[in-house]
């Protein structure tokens, strides 16, 4: 639901969607249901869509160069296999458009330390030894704000965990507009929809399913084969109770709730409809049904990813073409930002 003040602020901007995924490992079912699947829906709604593999974000923690290159191509293959059409959406990797890093620096000078100190993802990722975290990990949300605002994007489809960063993006846009007396940046809105905005780990229903979790059993990867998917679901942590009559009965059962939400998102129905179908049945019946469903949805995607990965040059070509189109939108917006701030722009004059 769009607040009236956001609608007014964004009225001058054409609707445009921007979102990003880090190529910091293989894509998971959480990335697919929370982000990728909805990226495709937005593209199919006919809104202008810009999707980015944020390699500059990935290096906030150490990345082996060969693995980063591979993960970037594999993530691009995942986007294409899931239904992103490079003729209709712009798909590129962040580091090919240098304006991201430039606007990121500008926003480091707009964002306040107090704002950054509230970011829960930094606290989670830096852990107990925050002194040893990179400066980039701390500054990361202002680079994310730059990603979004560089395209004057108005909507940002993300999983629940990124809501705070999109709110920070709005704070940065508002402060820039206020400090320079302009209405230059829109107020982008997070778009968080559906039954799977936060897919949880298969080993711990209170932790987010994550591509960087050390336990491979905690997640389903888009590249897992049918046997691996079935085995991970069979071994997923649950409780001994049968499924309840209504979703309210799942309130204190995080693992059971997670599996019901995953089922609903994969089947394109609601968690209510899923519990209504399986009420009174135990996990001995529910898990095989979920495994079959997951395999039927994910197998075509992983098969297509394997096909695409056989031709990395073609993937690089798609990313290069996307980067050219992205840069054409970004360059005048960065230029105007620098001009507003009083920087001389006289090259080629
Ligand atoms: P990492 O483990 O390295 O933090 P990640 O798996 O969380 O990675 P990101 O690249 O940070 O993946 O996220 C890409 C998008 O996928 C974001 O919009 C994020 O909100 C969404 N997403 C990631 N994990 C989940 C999840 N478990 N459930 C729903 N959405 C998710
Ligand atoms: N921070 C996000 C990835 C990300 C992103 C973005 C998402 C970087 N830039 C811009 C949406 C819009 C993450 O870790 N999931």
């Amino acid at each position: 639901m769009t607040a009236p003040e956001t609608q007014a602020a964004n009225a001058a901007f054409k609707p445009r969607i921007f979102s990003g995924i880090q190529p910091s490992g293989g894509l998971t079912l959480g990335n697919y249901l929370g982000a990728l699947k909805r990226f495709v829906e937005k593209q199919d709604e006919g809104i202008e869509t810009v999707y980015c593999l944020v390699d500059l974000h990935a290096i906030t923690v150490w990345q082996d160069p060969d693995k980063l290159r591979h993960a970037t191509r594999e993530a691009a293959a995942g986007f294409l296999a899931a239904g992103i059409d490079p003729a209709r959406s712009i798909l590129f990797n962040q580091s090919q458009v240098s304006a991201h890093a430039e606007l990121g620096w500008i926003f480091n000078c707009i964002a306040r330390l107090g704002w950054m100190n509230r970011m829960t993802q930094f606290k989670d990722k830096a852990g107990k030894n925050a002194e040893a975290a990179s400066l980039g990990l701390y500054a990361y949300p202002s680079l994310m704000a730059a990603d979004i605002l560089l395209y004057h994007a108005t909507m940002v489809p993300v999983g629940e965990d990124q809501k705070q960063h999109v709110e920070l993006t709005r704070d940065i846009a508002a402060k820039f507009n206020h400090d320079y007396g302009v209405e230059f940046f829109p107020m982008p809105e997070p778009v968080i929809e559906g039954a799977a905005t936060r897919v949880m780990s298969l080993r711990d229903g209170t932790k987010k399913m994550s591509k960087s979790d050390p336990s491979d059993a905690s997640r389903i990867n888009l590249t897992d084969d049918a046997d691996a998917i079935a085995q991970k679901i069979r071994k997923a942590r649950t409780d001994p109770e049968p499924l309840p009559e209504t979703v309210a009965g799942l309130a204190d059962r995080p693992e059971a709730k997670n599996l019901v939400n995953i089922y609903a998102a994969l089947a394109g129905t609601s968690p209510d409809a899923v519990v209504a179908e399986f009420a009174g049945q135990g996990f001995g019946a529910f898990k095989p049904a979920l495994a079959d469903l997951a395999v039927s949805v994910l197998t075509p995607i992983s098969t297509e990813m394997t096909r695409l990965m056989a031709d990395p040059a073609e993937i690089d070509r798609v990313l290069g073409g996307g980067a050219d189109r992205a840069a054409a939108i970004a360059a005048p917006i960065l230029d105007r930002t620098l001009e507003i701030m009083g920087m001389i722009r006289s090259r080629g004059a």
Side-chain angles (χ1 to χ4, degrees), residues 3-264:
E5 59 279 12
T6 305
Q7 265 175 10
N10 288 346
F13 297 89
K14 108 177 187 200
R16 184 180 282 147
I17 286 182
F18 182 96
S19 196
I21 291 192
Q22 298 190 55
S24 48
L27 295 177
T28 69
L29 181 66
N31 297 134
Y32 176 68
L33 294 175
L36 204 44
K37 183 168 186 275
R38 291 179 311 114
F39 295 175
V40 177
E41 288 163 6
K42 295 290 164 203
Q43 164 191 274
D44 294 345
E45 284 168 22
I47 308 171
E48 187 179 359
T49 40
V50 184
Y51 296 128
C52 185
L53 303 170
V54 290
D55 46 12
L56 296 175
H57 278 89
I59 58 159
T60 54
V61 298
W62 164 253
Q63 301 294 333
D64 174 85
D66 288 333
K67 287 191 182 142
L68 179 62
R69 213 173 350 258
H70 181 268
T72 305
R73 290 184 180 133
E74 193 177 85
F79 274 66
L80 299 170
I84 295 298
D85 171 2
R88 285 186 289 153
S89 290
I90 295 179
L91 176 65
F92 71 109
N93 60 311
Q94 186 184 27
S95 60
Q96 294 212 69
V97 181
S98 57
H100 287 254
E102 293 178 60
L103 190 62
W105 172 257
I106 308 267
F107 287 169
N108 283 345
C109 302
I110 303 285
R112 305 290 95 185
L113 285 182
W115 302 357
M116 304 314 261
N117 288 336
R118 286 196 288 274
M119 295 297 115
T120 56
Q121 186 178 339
F122 175 76
K123 291 178 200 162
D124 292 347
K125 289 208 170 177
K128 289 199 181 68
N129 196 4
E131 294 277 311
S134 72
L135 183 54
L137 188 66
Y138 185 71
Y140 160 127
S142 87
L143 179 60
M144 174 161 162
D147 299 338
I148 297 167
L149 294 172
L150 194 51
Y151 299 91
H152 279 179
T154 53
M155 287 170 282
V156 186
V158 278
E160 188 67 46
D161 60 307
Q162 295 302 314
K163 187 169 179 226
Q164 193 183 36
H165 291 160
V166 183
E167 283 163 356
L168 180 92
T169 301
R170 295 163 63 96
D171 290 341
I172 290 176
K175 182 163 165 57
F176 183 98
N177 287 349
H178 173 268
D179 289 357
Y180 291 98
V182 290
E183 294 294 330
F184 185 62
F185 288 117
M187 295 293 140
E189 278 195 274
V191 181
I192 301 170
E193 302 164 333
T197 55
R198 198 172 171 83
V199 176
M200 308 311 274
S201 156
L202 298 179
R203 310 302 302 164
D204 176 351
T206 63
K207 258 175 62 186
K208 190 181 80 127
M209 181 182 285
S210 159
K211 59 171 109 77
S212 51
D213 192 309
S215 160
D216 190 60
S218 71
R219 62 176 162 264
I220 293 174
N221 305 299
L222 289 195
T223 49
D224 283 345
D225 63 21
D227 286 347
I229 294 172
Q231 196 191 47
K232 285 177 180 177
I233 292 178
R234 194 168 60 242
K235 291 200 174 155
R237 191 165 145 193
T238 39
D239 57 45
E241 302 298 316
L243 285 165
E245 304 280 327
T246 63
V247 232
L250 293 170
D252 299 320
R253 300 171 62 187
E255 282 86 13
K257 186 173 172 188
N258 186 37
L259 296 186
V260 166
N261 284 345
I262 292 175
Y263 191 105

